[in-house]
Amino acid sequence: MHKELRVAAYAVCVRDGQLLLARWVAGDGSKRWTLPGGGMEHGEDPYDTVIREAEEETGYAVRPVTLLGVDSIRRRYPRKLGSFADFHGLRLVYEGEITGGDLRHETDGSTDMAAWHPLDAVAGLPRVGLVDVGLGLWRKRPAVGRVELER
């Protein structure tokens, strides 16, 4: 089985009771909201990753103010020729503060839209599990940097 590791960094940006999200477009064309962020490039610091990715996906300059925690997921998915991949995602979640820029949508990337959503409406959105993880970390701020959620 092919092993695949992806390390990524994301921002939880809350302002005036609203959460900044980017809409991710999956390979099958389905769309779900996610936290702004994404995969680290080789040699890149995760702090710099979250700044770069948030700007690419939302247009905003984001300053990471606190490392909220780390989330680790594993999934098995089919690959070509009948084989399978053992995917491991390691996701660093920061609290982010908007310091500049203007809201805009990403072009030619993995997301197609960025928007602010009222915190009390997030549970009703089509979203990836990382949104719930990020909000849980932001709300609870656990000392160990981890929240237990049902997946």
Side-chain angles (χ1 to χ4, degrees), residues 20-21 57-60 101-105 114-116:
L20 179 62
L21 295 174
E57 294 180 354
T58 70
Y60 287 121
D102 295 303
L103 181 66
R104 64 148 172 77
H105 308 313
W116 291 95

Side-chain angles (χ1 to χ4, degrees), residues 88-150:
H88 181 192
L90 184 63
R91 302 163 331 169
L92 291 84
V93 182
Y94 291 89
E95 179 175 15
E97 176 184 62
I98 305 299
T99 61
D102 295 303
L103 181 66
R104 64 148 172 77
H105 308 313
E106 182 177 31
T107 56
D108 299 322
S110 60
T111 65
D112 70 345
M113 180 184 288
W116 291 95
H117 297 273
L119 285 169
D120 59 1
V122 170
L125 296 172
R127 65 197 184 285
V128 299
L130 179 62
V131 173
D132 297 330
V133 169
L135 277 177
L137 289 166
W138 180 77
R139 286 181 174 129
K140 297 176 183 176
R141 300 182 183 267
V144 296
R146 180 178 176 171
V147 291
E148 295 296 329
L149 297 174
E150 289 185 30

Side-chain angles (χ1 to χ4, degrees), residues 3-85:
K3 293 179 182 178
E4 186 177 323
L5 174 65
R6 182 174 187 263
V7 180
Y10 296 89
V12 176
C13 300
V14 177
R15 183 171 73 182
D16 300 326
Q18 296 188 67
L19 176 64
L20 179 62
L21 295 174
R23 193 169 67 176
W24 173 65
V25 181
D28 65 3
S30 63
K31 298 176 180 182
R32 293 181 286 160
W33 292 99
T34 189
L35 297 175
M40 286 176 49
E41 295 176 358
H42 181 78
E44 186 177 38
D45 186 280
Y47 187 91
D48 297 325
T49 300
V50 75
I51 292 169
R52 175 182 54 78
E53 286 282 346
E55 192 281 328
E56 287 175 6
E57 294 180 354
T58 70
Y60 287 121
V62 172
R63 181 177 69 90
V65 293
T66 303
L67 176 63
L68 295 172
V70 177
D71 184 53
S72 180
I73 60 167
R74 267 183 97 180
R75 293 193 181 102
R76 185 174 183 253
Y77 67 89
R79 293 178 47 130
K80 294 179 183 178
L81 304 175
S83 65
F84 285 87

